[in-house]
Amino acid sequence: MPSYQAPVDEVLFLLNDVFHIERHNNLPGFADASPDVVEAILTEAGKLAAEVLTPLNRSGDIEGCTRHDDGRVTTPKGFREAYAAIIAGGWIGISAPAELGGQGLPATLTVAVNEFLASANLAFSMYPGLVQGAIAAILRHGTDVQKKTYLPKMIEGVWAGTMNLTEPHCGTDLGLLRTKAVKQPDGSYKITGTKIFISGGEQDLTENIVHLVLARIEGAPEGTKGISLFIVPKVLVNADGSLGARNGVSCGSIEHKMGIHANSTCVMNYDNATGFLIGEENRGLPAMFTMMNEARLGVGLQGLAMSEVAYQNAAAYAKERLQGRALSGPKFPDKPADPIIVHPDVRRTLLTIKAINEAGRALVLWTALQGDISHRSADEKESKAADDAMGLLTPVVKGVMTDLGFANTVAAQQMLGGHGYIAEWGMEQFVRDARIPMIYEGANGIQALDLVGRKLPKDGGRALQAFFAEVQSFLAAHKDDAAMKAYAAPLNTALGHLQQATMWFVQNAMAKPDNAGAGATDFMHLFGLVALGYMWARIVKAANEKLASGANGDAERYKNKLITARFFMERLLPETGAHLARIQSGAESTMAMPVEGF
Amino acid sequence: MPSYQAPVDEVLFLLNDVFHIERHNNLPGFADASPDVVEAILTEAGKLAAEVLTPLNRSGDIEGCTRHDDGRVTTPKGFREAYAAIIAGGWIGISAPAELGGQGLPATLTVAVNEFLASANLAFSMYPGLVQGAIAAILRHGTDVQKKTYLPKMIEGVWAGTMNLTEPHCGTDLGLLRTKAVKQPDGSYKITGTKIFISGGEQDLTENIVHLVLARIEGAPEGTKGISLFIVPKVLVNADGSLGARNGVSCGSIEHKMGIHANSTCVMNYDNATGFLIGEENRGLPAMFTMMNEARLGVGLQGLAMSEVAYQNAAAYAKERLQGRALSGPKFPDKPADPIIVHPDVRRTLLTIKAINEAGRALVLWTALQGDISHRSADEKESKAADDAMGLLTPVVKGVMTDLGFANTVAAQQMLGGHGYIAEWGMEQFVRDARIPMIYEGANGIQALDLVGRKLPKDGGRALQAFFAEVQSFLAAHKDDAAMKAYAAPLNTALGHLQQATMWFVQNAMAKPDNAGAGATDFMHLFGLVALGYMWARIVKAANEKLASGANGDAERYKNKLITARFFMERLLPETGAHLARIQSGAESTMAMPVEGF
């Protein structure tokens, strides 16, 4: 049975020592998030994750969800009690507005907490996670009445929320969607259509479910410009806030999936269901897109979360499993064999995962912090710059952290040999669960296109130039710092590769967009490596400062950061050159093959 | 429901036009394998795979194997009939000696056939595949009486065979094994112990199962030098060849696994079971190792097989699924959207898989051919050179083709978006099944160590030098061939990286073996890319010859080979530089982390 311990100290180090979150105490909610408060919250979240959610992970996978003939869905044993703990702890609303029942704390803190929940039990964590997404949508685009009607219950957690985008014939290309909305005399709409892949579409955890549904109003333009967003509650809400009649929406079936068995993935049938427009008619897609960054950041976080829990279990196994002897001679001659952690290839594997996780967590929190600044800063320039950064980094976090997170989970499974393939050890479930974040909320190929086709050229490349400037100014500021040299030099090389790749797109992709398309995934991963490298440089700086100031007797910990950083620079960063070469080879061989040749 | 079509034409092209297998007609059995005979056999095998085994793949995964209270194991519905077809077609023995009931054809042909069976139904194909492994062991090390007693029935297929190595506390490190053998007055042994992860350990497909079991004879030396190999039949065989009493071996349980559900992975309990020594006392491990190359080649082949079937289904989906528009403008303006194969990132993904599969198939067949030459050639020098090549290439094929095969299967799954994650589409099963070849028959980290620690230094590096010489002489022979230049130049660069990496090991790993261990996996993959690049160069040569001679109206096919080869050189081969950089970074950062730091 796998175990999990939340990396509370890691998050505290990043927030306090690397990003100095106290510098943002001028932003609403940040001053309340004092180091003590943050530590208490993270510790509590870590306990919930380890003690309540982890024990339900494997049993939930085995039992899965059950749909009954009447359309009800039962979640696995223990999930109702665990969800009650989520409600009791107020975990859904820690960053929601205080006036609606939340605690108003930074969203960055919610992100940190959500990593723990996802590591402990990805399938479970999706239920509260999706509520947060729906809350964000209604907050941003709902009317005051809609906010008052739905948000307090959702923030409390007693009502859930879902996102309904995909239909059988359309996922990525939402312009094709067919679900219809017919306006009623009272201003509401009747919604009819079928949605698929709806996570938590039906469950037995909450007394109501607020479905957010994309549909086309009768007579609306074709394509993406004729799509509107609706609130369709499972149970209609009376004027006094009490629950009324059951709405015309039901779960038609649940999917049999590779993983996240404990999350109900539903086919949802809307049959003249009553819906309420959010935002403007035909502006549903832009409304969805304004929340896309947060949602995608949350999925990138899941990649990290799976990588972390898989790492912890692989490292524990490698310290215990006795097999073979160290290449340099027995390390434990009194034992029948050495623990496999003596082997360089095992260490290489574990350090690869560790190096990505620690910088990945930094990247996720840093991106979340940009989101907080963009939403909460009164300084327009600061807010805009943060919004730029978050928009640019989001597809990178989503695409790269889920690709690497999955690869890391597979590598961690490999450390257990045959035992990794057996269900009872739990590693194979991590792999099956870690596979979905690469797909949902925009498959990773779409993230790469979003980065290259949308985020790069936006505002004349302003966001990317700002990122370059930030990394370069960090490098310039430390160019005489001997302790930084071993890290700064490879980062500088990698940044150069990223800049060359950008230049190549500028020169070759305007006239021939296929050149951008063929290099998009490589560019995303090249960018990801540079961003992770930059995070390592900042971690090294903070670790050096800690060591210089005595490190409170915790010197080993900071020295280990330096080792891991060096490993990252030597072993992972060289990949940037290969990405650049692939990008610069262009689209010719990619596009030359006739369709029948595939 | 996924489909499969055996790539018969691909195999014929490789055997006839790339490797000119007819040049080996002096070897026993090769002249019988005329192009017509080979085509007929492959066509028949392809039919069996597509029509009998493919339809049982998903149902077998869902149903799995069942162990009954009395220790019997039932395989999924349809498996008994399918196995009867394997027996009826004589598929197990096509390369076995004619005097024992086989057809004596090249083992290379068996390898080609086995790819088809594994693509169609990996879990099923393991049953006959393991019989072939056990046949090889008895052929190589058994006495005449043992051969006559067991082999005709095994070659016919009515008796199965298994390999029993792993125990709960030992997998890679067989020196730790505890299963005991006690010599009896009649020369037989009583075997007692527990073996785990025994594929096909019990089943309902054959009337007997011949277990090959590693055990320690009472009083034998500790470690790997005290291990002997035994035949332990499930049902004892009377002197007249009829079946006698049930032996003291039984299936204690079957494992719940990530994939290959339809193959029974058993815990086998040996309780004073009667066993018969094969080969010499205490020489069991070397005996196992003489068959290891074939077994590992067979597992590498499984990586290719899964990659191929996943590719076929992803390509079919990409041609049909309408979603979005081409970056360069609509390609099918009359349809609601273009098929996703217009997108460069989709093509990049599919071409990556295709480029690895086509060269991977060449590499597997070429390696198998070396095995045939080494076993069948009367020319000692030729035989030894082929044995060198096979020994060198085997860990590369096993490690690289299963790593890439899994990565490709995951990439193919990604092409289906959310549908790839849903069981009914079949892609997620391919991923779960494709995961095991990276683990069994020596986890891939062990393959890398075998390559770097054993195969490289063996005989003063003779095998590797011969490989270098072969590739270099190919490059030299075509250095004035303008049609080869675009392929030869990148191959030459990659070969240079491999040679530099080798030199780095020579200079840095003698004194510090950790330097070899830390670079082993990168070296294996670097070698794999060079070997695949060499295969592409040879395929290009054959394709050019075909095109020059008119190509029998099939010019498109050979032109597509040139496109895929170019894609390989531009997009996959540049990775060799990153592997070299990682190797040359050495073991320092890998070994510096204290155990508690993980």
Side-chain angles (χ1 to χ4, degrees):
Chain A
M1 179 76 99
S3 66
Y4 173 66
Q5 192 165 6
V8 172
D9 287 349
E10 288 295 301
V11 174
L12 292 174
F13 169 65
L14 291 168
L15 293 180
N16 298 328
D17 303 311
V18 178
F19 299 127
H20 300 282
I21 194 172
E22 77 280 1
R23 290 181 191 161
H24 302 284
N25 275 355
N26 60 319
L27 302 180
F30 272 63
D32 296 334
S34 66
D36 287 355
V37 167
V38 169
E39 183 168 357
I41 289 176
L42 292 177
T43 303
E44 209 48 49
K47 255 191 220 168
L48 175 73
E51 293 169 14
V52 178
L53 303 188
T54 293
L56 297 175
N57 192 45
R58 189 158 132 64
S59 58
D61 180 66
I62 293 170
E63 186 183 342
C65 294
T66 310
R67 178 185 174 279
H68 305 278
D69 289 342
D70 59 2
R72 279 182 309 117
V73 168
T74 309
T75 58
K77 199 160 166 257
F79 271 45
R80 286 176 62 87
E81 293 74 13
Y83 206 84
I86 291 283
I87 295 173
W91 290 108
I92 290 171
I94 52 178
S95 304
E99 65 273 21
L100 294 165
Q103 294 179 61
L105 293 165
T108 304
L109 194 57
T110 291
V111 167
V113 166
N114 284 353
E115 183 203 327
F116 303 169
L117 308 187
S119 279
N121 195 324
L122 180 62
F124 178 89
S125 75
M126 292 169 65
Y127 294 110
L130 284 158
V131 187
Q132 289 171 335
I135 290 169
I138 297 174
L139 261 181
R140 206 80 63 83
H141 301 286
T143 63
D144 283 345
V145 172
Q146 288 171 339
K147 288 182 198 173
K148 271 182 213 155
T149 306
Y150 300 103
L151 290 182
K153 293 285 193 181
M154 293 172 78
I155 288 168
E156 184 188 349
V158 292
W159 295 0
T162 70
M163 304 286 183
N164 291 241
L165 287 73
T166 306
E167 300 183 3
H169 63 289
C170 79
T172 299
D173 188 356
L174 289 168
L176 301 174
L177 75 77
R178 293 180 192 148
T179 296
K180 263 188 228 168
V182 180
K183 193 163 189 174
Q184 305 300 303
D186 68 353
S188 71
Y189 292 78
K190 289 291 182 194
I191 312 285
T192 301
T194 299
K195 296 286 182 178
I196 63 170
F197 301 160
I198 307 309
S199 300
E202 182 58 87
Q203 31 81 351
D204 57 356
L205 305 173
T206 59
E207 55 189 43
N208 200 3
I209 304 175
V210 179
H211 302 293
L212 298 186
V213 183
L214 286 182
R216 199 181 289 285
I217 297 173
E218 258 190 330
E222 286 199 357
T224 54
K225 291 180 180 163
I227 297 172
S228 305
L229 182 61
F230 298 90
I231 293 178
V232 185
K234 172 181 163 184
V235 184
L236 292 164
V237 182
N238 297 322
D240 65 356
S242 63
L243 291 178
R246 185 74 163 72
N247 203 352
V249 48
S250 61
C251 167
S253 62
I254 56 180
E255 305 284 2
H256 297 276
K257 312 183 295 291
M258 184 179 189
I260 50 166
H261 293 163
N263 197 278
S264 57
T265 305
C266 300
V267 173
M268 296 302 293
N269 296 321
Y270 291 84
D271 185 11
N272 266 316
T274 300
F276 307 97
L277 184 70
I278 318 188
E280 296 173 47
E281 280 192 8
N282 301 332
R283 299 283 298 160
L285 222 48
M288 290 298 297
F289 270 101
T290 59
M291 326 174 300
M292 208 60 103
N293 284 340
E294 280 90 345
R296 289 179 169 178
L297 179 64
V299 173
L301 180 71
Q302 295 177 340
L304 165 67
M306 297 312 295
S307 182
E308 172 66 31
V309 68
Y311 170 82
Q312 289 188 15
N313 286 281
Y317 184 88
K319 291 178 198 177
E320 278 174 20
R321 174 76 171 175
L322 305 179
Q323 207 78 184
R325 289 294 185 188
L327 296 174
S328 51
K331 291 281 170 285
F332 294 84
D334 50 320
K335 292 190 179 178
D338 288 339
I340 62 172
I341 198 142
V342 303
H343 299 298
D345 195 60
V346 169
R347 295 175 147 257
R348 177 193 62 81
T349 305
L350 292 175
L351 277 166
T352 298
I353 308 175
K354 186 178 170 70
I356 292 167
N357 289 355
E358 295 187 8
R361 183 173 296 111
L363 183 61
V364 165
L365 293 175
W366 189 54
T367 306
L369 190 54
Q370 305 308 313
D372 267 328
I373 297 169
S374 81
H375 294 140
R376 301 187 184 203
S377 175
D379 176 338
E380 202 178 320
K381 203 178 140 200
E382 183 185 55
S383 165
K384 187 165 279 184
D387 189 56
D388 278 358
M390 185 176 190
L392 181 70
L393 292 170
T394 295
V396 176
V397 170
K398 197 284 185 182
V400 174
M401 288 312 297
T402 63
D403 275 358
L404 296 182
F406 177 73
N408 286 348
T409 307
V410 170
Q413 178 191 29
Q414 187 77 9
M415 293 302 92
L416 278 78
H419 300 284
Y421 201 69
I422 303 298
E424 67 176 303
W425 287 81
M427 300 301 285
E428 64 88 30
Q429 182 191 347
F430 293 146
V431 172
R432 289 186 287 103
D433 289 354
R435 183 67 183 87
I436 188 62
M438 296 163 71
I439 297 173
Y440 60 22
E441 209 64 59
N444 285 355
I446 298 300
Q447 303 300 323
L449 273 186
D450 175 50
L451 176 66
V452 165
R454 219 177 272 145
K455 303 292 172 64
L456 284 204
K458 198 171 168 242
D459 304 314
R462 189 178 65 199
L464 185 67
Q465 293 308 324
F467 175 80
F468 289 165
E470 165 151 4
V471 180
Q472 279 169 326
S473 88
F474 181 93
L475 289 170
H478 298 88
K479 78 174 182 329
D480 299 325
D481 183 348
M484 285 299 299
K485 201 176 167 190
Y487 314 94
L491 175 58
N492 193 43
T493 303
L495 179 67
H497 291 158
L498 182 62
Q499 290 171 319
Q500 286 174 63
T502 307
M503 191 54 69
W504 193 89
F505 280 153
V506 170
Q507 290 166 347
N508 296 280
M510 303 289 198
K512 264 199 161 180
D514 285 338
N515 276 328
T521 290
D522 276 297
F523 188 88
M524 177 176 78
H525 278 280
L526 168 50
F527 196 151
L529 285 168
V530 172
L532 293 172
Y534 175 52
M535 292 298 111
W536 269 119
R538 293 188 61 169
I539 292 169
V540 164
K541 186 190 166 209
N544 279 337
E545 285 166 358
K546 280 282 179 187
L547 286 167
S549 69
N552 299 325
D554 212 6
E556 277 301 313
R557 185 176 165 210
Y558 301 107
K559 283 186 196 158
N560 293 346
K561 293 270 176 251
L562 303 183
I563 294 171
T564 312
R566 199 175 140 205
F567 181 90
F568 181 88
M569 299 297 170
E570 290 178 354
R571 292 263 166 179
L572 299 175
L573 212 48
E575 189 69 27
T576 57
H579 287 306
L580 176 62
R582 286 194 276 267
I583 290 165
Q584 290 179 334
S585 75
E588 220 175 289
S589 64
T590 305
M591 302 312 290
M593 181 69 74
V595 169
E596 316 75 52
F598 282 96
Chain B
M1 180 74 101
S3 67
Y4 173 66
Q5 193 166 8
V8 172
D9 287 349
E10 288 295 300
V11 174
L12 292 174
F13 169 64
L14 291 169
L15 293 180
N16 298 327
D17 303 312
V18 178
F19 298 127
H20 301 284
I21 194 172
E22 77 281 359
R23 290 180 191 161
H24 301 285
N25 276 354
N26 60 319
L27 302 180
F30 272 63
D32 296 335
S34 65
D36 287 355
V37 167
V38 169
E39 182 168 357
I41 289 175
L42 292 177
T43 304
E44 208 50 47
K47 254 192 219 166
L48 175 73
E51 294 169 14
V52 178
L53 303 188
T54 293
L56 297 176
N57 192 46
R58 190 158 131 65
S59 58
D61 179 65
I62 294 170
E63 186 183 341
C65 294
T66 310
R67 179 186 173 277
H68 305 278
D69 288 343
D70 58 3
R72 281 182 308 117
V73 169
T74 309
T75 58
K77 198 161 167 255
F79 270 44
R80 286 176 61 86
E81 294 74 11
Y83 205 85
I86 291 283
I87 295 172
W91 289 109
I92 291 171
I94 52 178
S95 304
E99 64 273 21
L100 293 166
Q103 293 179 61
L105 293 164
T108 304
L109 194 57
T110 291
V111 168
V113 166
N114 284 355
E115 183 202 328
F116 302 169
L117 308 187
S119 279
N121 195 322
L122 180 63
F124 178 89
S125 74
M126 292 170 64
Y127 293 112
L130 284 159
V131 187
Q132 290 170 334
I135 290 170
I138 298 174
L139 260 182
R140 206 80 63 81
H141 301 287
T143 63
D144 283 345
V145 171
Q146 288 172 337
K147 289 182 195 172
K148 270 183 212 151
T149 305
Y150 300 103
L151 289 182
K153 292 285 193 183
M154 293 172 78
I155 289 169
E156 186 188 347
V158 293
W159 294 359
T162 70
M163 304 286 181
N164 290 242
L165 286 72
T166 306
E167 300 182 4
H169 63 289
C170 79
T172 299
D173 189 356
L174 290 168
L176 301 174
L177 76 77
R178 293 180 192 149
T179 296
K180 264 190 228 166
V182 180
K183 193 163 189 173
Q184 304 300 304
D186 68 353
S188 72
Y189 292 78
K190 291 290 182 193
I191 312 285
T192 301
T194 300
K195 296 287 182 177
I196 63 168
F197 302 158
I198 308 307
S199 300
E202 182 57 86
Q203 33 79 354
D204 57 356
L205 305 172
T206 59
E207 55 190 41
N208 200 2
I209 303 175
V210 180
H211 301 293
L212 299 186
V213 183
L214 286 183
R216 198 181 291 285
I217 297 173
E218 259 190 327
E222 286 199 357
T224 54
K225 289 179 179 162
I227 298 171
S228 305
L229 182 62
F230 298 89
I231 294 178
V232 185
K234 172 181 164 184
V235 185
L236 292 164
V237 182
N238 297 322
D240 65 356
S242 62
L243 292 178
R246 188 74 162 69
N247 203 353
V249 49
S250 62
C251 166
S253 62
I254 56 179
E255 305 284 2
H256 297 278
K257 312 183 296 289
M258 184 179 189
I260 51 165
H261 292 161
N263 197 277
S264 57
T265 305
C266 300
V267 173
M268 297 301 293
N269 296 322
Y270 291 85
D271 185 11
N272 267 316
T274 300
F276 308 97
L277 184 70
I278 319 187
E280 294 172 47
E281 281 191 7
N282 301 333
R283 300 282 298 157
L285 221 50
M288 289 298 297
F289 270 101
T290 60
M291 327 174 299
M292 209 60 104
N293 284 339
E294 280 90 344
R296 289 179 169 179
L297 180 64
V299 174
L301 181 70
Q302 295 177 339
L304 166 66
M306 297 312 295
S307 182
E308 172 66 31
V309 70
Y311 170 82
Q312 289 188 15
N313 286 279
Y317 185 88
K319 291 178 198 177
E320 277 174 20
R321 173 76 171 176
L322 305 180
Q323 206 80 181
R325 291 294 185 187
L327 296 175
S328 51
K331 292 281 170 285
F332 295 83
D334 50 320
K335 292 190 180 178
D338 288 338
I340 61 172
I341 197 144
V342 303
H343 299 299
D345 195 59
V346 169
R347 293 176 148 258
R348 177 193 62 80
T349 305
L350 292 174
L351 277 166
T352 298
I353 309 175
K354 186 179 170 71
I356 291 167
N357 288 354
E358 294 187 8
R361 183 173 295 112
L363 183 60
V364 166
L365 292 175
W366 188 54
T367 306
L369 190 54
Q370 307 307 313
D372 267 329
I373 297 169
S374 82
H375 294 141
R376 300 188 184 202
S377 174
D379 177 339
E380 203 177 320
K381 203 178 138 201
E382 183 186 55
S383 165
K384 187 164 281 185
D387 189 56
D388 278 357
M390 187 177 189
L392 182 70
L393 293 170
T394 295
V396 176
V397 169
K398 197 285 185 182
V400 174
M401 288 312 298
T402 62
D403 275 359
L404 296 182
F406 178 72
N408 286 347
T409 306
V410 170
Q413 178 191 28
Q414 188 76 9
M415 294 301 91
L416 278 78
H419 300 286
Y421 201 68
I422 303 297
E424 66 175 303
W425 287 81
M427 300 300 285
E428 65 89 31
Q429 183 190 347
F430 293 146
V431 172
R432 288 185 288 104
D433 289 354
R435 184 67 184 86
I436 189 61
M438 295 162 72
I439 297 172
Y440 60 23
E441 208 65 62
N444 286 355
I446 298 301
Q447 303 300 323
L449 273 186
D450 175 50
L451 176 65
V452 165
R454 219 177 269 144
K455 303 292 172 63
L456 285 202
K458 198 171 167 243
D459 305 314
R462 188 177 68 198
L464 184 67
Q465 293 309 326
F467 175 80
F468 289 165
E470 166 151 3
V471 179
Q472 279 169 325
S473 89
F474 181 92
L475 289 170
H478 298 88
K479 78 174 182 332
D480 299 325
D481 184 348
M484 285 299 297
K485 202 176 166 193
Y487 314 94
L491 176 58
N492 192 43
T493 303
L495 179 67
H497 291 159
L498 183 61
Q499 290 171 318
Q500 287 174 65
T502 308
M503 190 56 68
W504 193 89
F505 280 152
V506 170
Q507 290 165 346
N508 296 281
M510 304 290 198
K512 265 200 161 181
D514 285 339
N515 276 327
T521 289
D522 276 296
F523 188 88
M524 178 177 78
H525 278 281
L526 168 50
F527 195 152
L529 285 169
V530 172
L532 292 172
Y534 175 52
M535 291 298 113
W536 267 120
R538 292 189 63 169
I539 291 169
V540 164
K541 185 189 165 206
N544 279 337
E545 285 166 357
K546 280 282 180 186
L547 286 167
S549 69
N552 299 325
D554 212 5
E556 276 302 313
R557 186 178 163 208
Y558 301 107
K559 283 185 196 159
N560 292 347
K561 293 270 175 250
L562 303 184
I563 294 171
T564 313
R566 202 178 136 203
F567 180 91
F568 180 88
M569 299 296 171
E570 289 178 354
R571 292 263 166 180
L572 299 175
L573 213 46
E575 189 69 25
T576 57
H579 287 305
L580 177 62
R582 285 194 277 266
I583 291 165
Q584 290 179 334
S585 75
E588 220 174 288
S589 65
T590 305
M591 302 310 291
M593 182 69 74
V595 169
E596 317 75 54
F598 282 96

